[in-house]
Amino acid sequence: MDRRAPFFLVFAAIGFALVPAADADHRWVAVAVGCAFIVLAGLTALDSWSRHR
Amino acid sequence: MTVGLVLVIVVALVFDFTNGFHDAANSIATVVGTRVLSPRVAVAWAAFFNFVAFLLFGTKVAATIAKGVVEPGVLTIGVVFAGLVGAIGWNLITFWLGLPTSSSHALVGGIAGAAVARAGGHVLLEDGLRKIGVFIVLSPLIGLALALSVAITIMWIFHRVRRVERLNTGFRRGQLLSAAMFSLGHGANDAQKTMGVILAVLIATGHVAKTAGVPLWVVLAAHSAIGLGTLTGGWRIVKTMGSKITRLQPVGGMAAESAAAAALFFTSAAGIPVSTTHTITGAIVGVGSTQRLSAVRWGVAGRVVWAWILTIPGAFLIAWAVSLAVRAVA
């Protein structure tokens, strides 16, 4: 079983969880990290699905 | 300049040297791991780009270290000395154990420990420490996400190519460029931490005004020390970084280094002192996970993460003890 997608979702959650702790100038970095991992989770889920089809 | 001030500057440069020595692995592990360069040539390549980084980046990270970790007023010669000894001590312990920990966080932990031993916990600056703390977690994640994205893009562009050997030759050449970029980022972010320490002690002793920037001789000395440290290399950590976390092909090495370099360029320009070690480790894990998660040796990665978690407390405790000893002697 491909565990990458759930793993990346955990990383996305960590990114979003850090948004309130980040200083105002760099809050967008935490948001961008969260969003990037959601996209990567989606891509790896599609990759896994296409390999098993 | 007093003897004490000269001694602290020398110890700061020794720390910078150990930083280059300890972190040389980050710059060259992938080029050595994929056999693009021999270890000897690889360290010379990395050391050169460590040194020339001063031409391209400012000194914002130095300002964060000098003025953003503890109240600048508490940074006496004795405190900075104890902080540096704590950081160097932790670096040597983790070097001996072959663990790729962060020299930057050892420095932050050391300075914080020495300052707390001297004046109490109230001297810690919450905003600066929070910024550093958030990026302890974010920097490997940025490295991982960027490296994975670069690797996926490369695979997508070249997936129809049949002549894999020829393609690999191209990526091996590309790795020379990506290793150079990463070494530039390493020199820019890490040499500035030493500049920050020297700037802090120059301000504390009244040799430089509080609002002044980093003097040019400090910039050149810091970049020379880190370059010389890289030139002498640290082979135990190269082994962990280059092959134990995940086996790398030239394409993976290039993706990991260029992603980590991009992250370091951004953080250096933004004045955020991040760990080059954390960033490249995240990037290597990102490349490994393009295949499947089992391509990453999670036991080794987990050991590395524990060393990261213990770095600030470890350096803090050594510096705290040294600071108390310095105070008792002085």
Side-chain angles (χ1 to χ4, degrees), chain B residues 146-166:
Chain B
L146 281 177
L148 186 54
S149 307
V150 171
I152 289 172
T153 307
I154 291 172
M155 283 156 74
W156 187 68
I157 292 171
F158 294 104
H159 75 284
R160 287 187 199 282
V161 175
R162 292 280 171 264
R163 291 178 172 177
V164 179
E165 264 312 304
R166 221 170 131 185

Side-chain angles (χ1 to χ4, degrees), chain B residues 200-280:
Chain B
V201 81
L202 287 174
I203 291 172
T205 52
H207 286 84
V208 166
K210 272 185 184 169
T211 50
V214 186
L216 182 63
W217 69 266
V218 176
V219 175
L220 291 175
H223 279 281
S224 302
I226 200 168
L228 284 172
T230 297
L231 203 56
T232 50
W235 307 116
R236 294 168 74 99
I237 299 173
V238 167
K239 219 174 151 193
T240 303
M241 298 290 286
S243 61
K244 280 192 182 169
I245 292 177
T246 188
R247 287 223 172 268
L248 287 171
Q249 296 298 319
V251 57
M254 198 183 100
E257 275 167 357
S258 47
L264 290 177
F265 289 173
F266 161 70
T267 51
S268 299
I272 303 162
V274 297
S275 163
T276 50
T277 315
H278 294 194
T279 312
I280 190 71

Side-chain angles (χ1 to χ4, degrees), chain A residues 3-28:
Chain A
R3 290 169 295 167
R4 288 177 298 176
F7 221 79
F8 292 153
L9 286 177
V10 170
F11 289 157
I14 293 171
F16 288 125
L18 287 172
V19 173
D23 59 303
D25 286 348
H26 301 110
R27 218 158 265 170
W28 67 271

Side-chain angles (χ1 to χ4, degrees), chain A residues 3-4 8 21 26 33 37, chain B residues 130 141 148 272 289-290 293:
Chain A
R3 290 169 295 167
R4 288 177 298 176
F8 292 153
H26 301 110
V33 166
F37 275 107
Chain B
R130 202 158 44 124
L141 293 182
L148 186 54
I272 303 162
S289 56
T290 50
L293 283 183

